[in-house]
Amino acid sequence: MTSPSLARDVTSAETIHGRHEFLLPGMLHLYKEPLVLVEGDGVRVKDPEGREYLDLFAGILTTSVGHCNPRVEEATIAQMRKLGHVSTLYGHEMHVEAARKIADIAPGALRRTFFSNSGTEAIETALMMACLATGRTEIIALRVGYHGRSFMATSVTAHSGWRPLATPVAGIKHAKSPNLYRCPFKTPCDDTCVDKFVDDLEEVIVTTTNGRPAAFIAETVMGVAGYVVPPPGYFEKAAEVIRHYGGLLVIDEVQAGFGRCGEHWFGIQHHGVEPDIMVMAKGIANGAPVGATVTTDEIAHRWQGKHISTFGGNPVSMAAMCATQDELRDHDAPHNASARGAQLRTALEEMQTRHPWMGDVRGMGLMQAIEIVKDPVSKEPDLDRTKKLMEASREEGVLIGLGGLHGTVVRIGPSLLITEEEMAEGIEKLGRAIDKVGA
Ligand SMILES: Cc1ncc(COP(=O)(O)O)c(C=O)c1O
């Protein structure tokens, strides 16, 4: 399959050369040389030279129902042929239908959605919404959290590597991230640490803000941080704290949403907490550019003034989103994520017994990670070994991702429809790569 705009097949080397010449050099890639991809089908992708890879990272947890999913393709092409663009100035049934689908699965009273084009934009919308609803401007986020690439999103992101500028937006403060593997309070971390993490959140509010925060924003599983899973009880108590000070709870489900964590549609449902505002993107539309910010009637009505989006709610993106959601529902994605996540987790834990450098294996559902360390006692991050594992996995024909403050956490997050056989194949390939890296 060749792009119609290209008259000839283009090699990996030519594409990489073009990338170096014409695109921004700061764009991260995962290997010594970027991997170029030209075709996809389900959990498989191919490079221009015809080499096939089993994709366990899904374009950063985004092709939730698989590459080139036929149902999504058909819905997208059909809508493109009928009406490709209107803007939010006009009504369109797909726009309403997509919002209805979010309202059907979102927790509690969340039923009004604003669609944009990326996770970053959806975060911007959520934080502006929280400020408008409360009449306040200070925001608390978590250290090592990631929320996107704009001025506001990099300000709530607490990860120096992802911040090209000093915190560009004022009034953002960061509490300790509830990372059980690297707990700042106790080794090994135990149940008493939950209260200490929540106390830290409160201390940040009373010591570094004017005591009147607009919102606390957090990911339910901290994706870029390396799938850090906050402990049970954390969100319940954190919600009490932020609400006690009159602020809203904003939950970022950009990575964790749509069944990815298993069992429920959203990560926050594992904690029995209803957010005031929730943000979604990535797997929402299988790669079509959709970000969504959902809130309650009451909060939505507090956004007064003019508001549009040229591309947000675009009929073609909405058609892709509706078809993706139908696929996720019809295949019971939360259930499959639980089952395939458990299959993967068991295999990773078995590998961990043979490789002490696999310091921590953690995650939920189809968000599973390996933190790579020099030894399990010092827990010193091992970047060299991580780089070797990335190259070895590429050689074995399996795609995995990276994260963590030091870039030493391997992240796995395939399509939510991955089958048992495909997962077994992925485990085998990853196992071979892990063995290559040594004991
Ligand atoms: C948790 C989280 N929030 C927000 C974003 C930003 O999304 P986007 O890259 O679509 O702007 C990301 C992207 O990785 C993310 O992981």
Side-chain angles (χ1 to χ4, degrees):
M1 191 173 60
T2 309
S3 161
S5 63
L6 293 175
R8 61 193 176 86
D9 286 336
V10 176
T11 64
S12 288
E14 286 171 298
T15 300
I16 292 167
H17 183 80
R19 176 174 162 128
H20 287 325
E21 194 173 352
F22 295 113
L23 298 175
L24 283 201
M27 276 190 317
L28 181 76
H29 65 85
L30 297 172
Y31 309 98
K32 272 188 214 139
E33 279 294 339
L35 174 61
V36 178
L37 298 173
V38 287
E39 275 181 49
D41 182 14
V43 292
R44 293 175 204 281
V45 284
K46 274 190 188 163
D47 68 16
E49 288 71 36
R51 192 140 193 261
E52 188 179 285
Y53 302 85
L54 188 80
D55 187 1
L56 295 187
F57 200 42
I60 328 181
L61 294 81
T62 296
T63 50
S64 52
V65 295
H67 292 280
C68 301
N69 179 291
R71 189 170 183 176
V72 178
E73 261 182 12
E74 273 162 35
T76 308
I77 293 165
Q79 184 57 52
M80 216 176 256
R81 290 204 165 121
K82 202 168 169 196
L83 182 64
H85 174 76
V86 289
S87 88
T88 52
L89 291 178
Y90 304 93
H92 193 277
E93 174 50 21
M94 291 314 294
H95 196 179
V96 178
E97 181 56 19
R100 196 180 285 130
K101 284 185 188 298
I102 300 272
D104 282 349
I105 59 172
L110 300 180
R111 59 186 295 274
R112 284 193 185 260
T113 298
F114 185 79
F115 287 106
S116 49
N117 312 289
S118 66
T120 298
E121 253 191 276
I123 290 287
E124 290 279 343
T125 307
L127 296 178
M128 189 177 292
M129 190 180 267
C131 293
L132 289 169
T134 56
R136 302 165 171 201
T137 53
E138 288 189 295
I139 310 281
I140 322 295
L142 286 178
R143 294 187 190 170
V144 204
Y146 181 89
H147 299 285
R149 51 172 301 283
S150 62
F151 266 49
M152 176 53 120
T154 53
S155 300
V156 279
T157 291
H159 197 147
S160 53
W162 292 106
R163 280 230 191 119
L165 292 168
T167 312
V169 177
I172 315 278
K173 300 293 179 321
H174 294 94
K176 287 193 195 323
S177 66
N179 182 343
L180 308 189
Y181 182 61
R182 294 186 181 276
C183 179
F185 303 115
K186 210 168 177 186
T187 312
C189 182
D190 66 27
D191 289 351
T192 61
C193 300
V194 176
D195 288 336
K196 296 197 179 105
F197 285 117
V198 177
D199 288 348
D200 180 66
L201 170 64
E202 182 158 19
E203 196 178 309
V204 168
I205 294 172
V206 297
T207 61
T208 71
T209 76
N210 63 2
R212 297 187 298 281
F216 168 54
I217 179 168
E219 303 160 78
T220 38
V221 175
M222 300 177 71
V224 173
Y227 298 170
V228 168
V229 183
Y234 178 76
F235 280 109
E236 203 182 327
K237 291 177 179 174
E240 274 170 26
V241 168
I242 189 67
R243 285 172 179 153
H244 173 78
Y245 289 92
L248 303 179
L249 179 67
V250 178
I251 288 296
D252 181 339
E253 294 272 355
V254 167
Q255 293 206 24
F258 301 105
R260 169 87 34 206
C261 294
E263 200 181 332
H264 299 291
W265 285 112
F266 295 100
I268 196 65
Q269 291 168 309
H270 290 260
H271 299 269
V273 172
E274 285 182 16
D276 300 297
I277 300 173
M278 203 167 75
V279 178
M280 294 148 277
K282 291 204 190 288
I284 192 172
N286 209 40
V290 178
T293 309
V294 61
T295 192
T296 62
D297 275 343
E298 194 195 338
I299 293 171
H301 278 105
R302 287 195 228 153
W303 189 316
Q304 299 292 331
K306 292 180 193 167
H307 195 206
I308 60 159
S309 176
T310 304
F311 298 128
N314 170 278
V316 178
S317 302
M318 296 294 98
M321 184 198 134
C322 289
T324 303
Q325 296 301 317
D326 290 344
E327 278 287 85
L328 290 169
R329 184 200 55 220
D330 292 354
H331 290 87
D332 196 354
H335 175 79
N336 197 52
S338 294
R340 301 289 65 84
Q343 180 187 359
L344 173 61
R345 178 63 166 263
T346 305
L348 293 178
E349 285 174 354
E350 188 280 321
M351 293 177 207
Q352 190 184 26
T353 62
R354 289 181 283 115
H355 301 287
W357 52 265
M358 292 173 68
D360 195 26
V361 170
R362 59 173 177 255
M364 288 178 77
L366 280 175
M367 274 182 110
Q368 296 291 333
I370 309 163
E371 180 150 355
I372 300 179
V373 293
K374 290 193 173 152
D375 73 81
V377 179
S378 74
K379 298 184 182 175
E380 203 184 320
D382 192 341
L383 192 56
D384 285 347
R385 202 186 285 270
T386 309
K387 285 182 181 165
K388 279 185 196 143
L389 180 58
M390 291 310 288
E391 296 305 320
S393 60
R394 181 177 179 165
E395 280 161 29
E396 290 299 330
V398 61
L399 303 189
I400 51 179
L402 279 183
L405 190 57
H406 307 284
T408 50
V409 183
V410 164
R411 297 198 286 153
I412 303 171
S415 157
L416 299 172
L417 307 192
I418 191 168
T419 65
E420 188 174 351
E421 294 71 33
E422 288 164 343
M423 181 58 89
E425 184 187 331
I427 289 168
E428 201 185 310
K429 289 182 166 160
L430 182 60
R432 278 203 298 270
I434 284 175
D435 286 341
K436 263 190 191 172
V437 169

